[in-house]
Amino acid sequence: MNTLRLEIINLHAPYTVKQREDKPQHYYFRTDYGVEYDISLEEEFSLVPSGAYALDITNREHKRSPLDPKFRMTLIAIVEEFFERNNDVMLYVTETGDEKQSFRDRLFVRWFNTYEHHDKYYIQTAEGKMEGQMNFMAIISRKDNPRLPEVIKEFEDTISFIFD
């Protein structure tokens, strides 16, 4: 993965995004509400065997966070820079630890679909149970990605296999 340019992200993000010194594909920012988020993009091969980058959003201190439009704009700036620097595939899987995964999934998809340049991207969502736990995930790619047909098939094959 090509490293994201913080100067470009921070031109568009209302929250200042920084990079973790020890992990080049990990970024973080603190909201006006004092909530610190880690955003990581790590290679993932289990759901898309030909490879994708898993977008992981972590509320570091598990603090309650109100709906924050600045959070959305900051996350979109990171996602946009990822696709500007990498014509690759992003995988988003909601966190399952607190039974709020359905809400997170709907929120993420709504944010993405209201993004002004969403028409440049392909997004496919999936939901299903794994070991009795509901899981929600999505793949996102630029529409001009030459691997897109292969990735869609891999994603669909994998989810049909892993969901109960």
Side-chain angles (χ1 to χ4, degrees):
M1 180 179 103
N2 294 315
T3 303
L4 307 186
R5 300 167 296 185
L6 289 177
E7 65 276 7
I8 301 299
I9 292 171
N10 287 319
L11 279 175
H12 304 284
Y15 292 128
T16 301
V17 177
K18 298 176 183 174
Q19 188 172 24
R20 296 252 176 244
E21 290 182 23
D22 56 334
K23 297 179 180 178
Q25 295 162 325
H26 288 242
Y27 305 89
Y28 67 98
F29 61 91
R30 183 172 296 279
T31 70
D32 292 339
Y33 302 97
V35 180
E36 188 169 312
Y37 285 96
D38 279 335
I39 309 294
S40 66
L41 291 155
E42 296 284 342
E43 275 192 291
E44 161 63 53
F45 294 99
S46 63
L47 295 173
V48 179
S50 65
Y53 287 91
L55 172 68
D56 186 39
I57 305 165
T58 304
N59 176 333
R60 291 190 73 194
E61 297 139 354
H62 304 287
K63 286 184 178 178
R64 188 174 172 94
S65 179
L67 290 178
D68 181 356
K70 288 181 174 183
F71 175 91
R72 173 193 174 271
M73 293 165 50
T74 302
L75 182 61
I76 291 291
I78 293 168
V79 169
E80 191 172 62
E81 174 63 5
F82 170 83
F83 283 114
E84 184 65 31
R85 300 277 294 153
N86 305 277
N87 189 8
D88 218 313
V89 176
M90 182 179 286
L91 176 67
Y92 173 69
V93 180
T94 59
E95 178 184 334
T96 59
D98 60 3
E99 302 297 324
K100 294 182 183 176
Q101 57 269 34
S102 173
F103 171 76
R104 285 189 190 95
D105 178 67
R106 284 192 314 274
L107 186 60
F108 180 80
V109 171
R110 186 180 68 197
W111 283 351
F112 197 82
N113 287 332
T114 59
Y115 164 56
E116 67 179 313
H117 301 293
H118 77 276
D119 57 324
K120 294 177 7 184
Y121 301 95
Y122 173 84
I123 184 169
Q124 180 175 341
T125 60
E127 62 182 75
K129 285 190 176 185
M130 287 174 45
E131 300 174 3
Q133 177 76 43
M134 278 303 290
N135 286 270
F136 300 85
M137 56 191 70
I139 57 168
I140 305 165
S141 177
R142 286 184 6 194
K143 288 180 179 177
D144 64 352
N145 184 336
R147 292 182 41 229
L148 187 56
E150 170 191 6
V151 167
I152 292 169
K153 177 154 181 18
E154 287 179 349
F155 181 71
E156 290 172 347
D157 289 349
T158 301
I159 60 173
S160 69
F161 177 74
I162 64 172
F163 287 158
D164 297 341

